[in-house]
Amino acid sequence: IAEILKEAGVVVPPGDSEKFAVALEGLAEDPRTRNKMGRVARKYAVEYLERNVILSRFEKELIHCVRGPEGWA
């Protein structure tokens, strides 16, 4: 998850409520970082999670599955 989030979020160990609280407090006190994370997250969502992007990748995978790696059909 850390690799996906990069600069779009904060990663804390599962179950570590103290580190989670510290991360939230840090974001609450730092609007510049929050805004940057929001911009990065939006950019990621548009590039990788928009419906047309996902459908295009899915279609390419289906075609690859039907035709096989050498493109036969």
Side-chain angles (χ1 to χ4, degrees):
I1 291 179
E3 295 82 28
I4 294 171
L5 287 177
K6 296 181 183 172
E7 296 180 29
V10 178
V11 178
V12 296
D16 194 334
S17 57
E18 186 174 321
K19 285 189 180 179
F20 182 66
V22 169
L24 287 179
E25 288 172 353
L27 289 172
E29 296 170 357
D30 190 352
R32 181 176 284 162
T33 297
R34 284 195 319 268
N35 288 332
K36 180 180 178 185
M37 287 178 158
R39 286 190 305 274
V40 171
R42 169 96 173 118
K43 182 176 185 253
Y44 179 87
V46 167
E47 289 179 11
Y48 299 101
L49 303 177
E50 270 195 343
R51 180 181 300 172
N52 291 338
V53 173
I54 291 172
L55 288 175
S56 176
R57 289 191 339 233
F58 184 69
E59 179 182 38
K60 288 176 186 176
E61 288 299 319
L62 281 176
I63 290 169
H64 177 76
C65 289
V66 170
R67 293 186 178 165
E70 284 86 37
W72 49 266

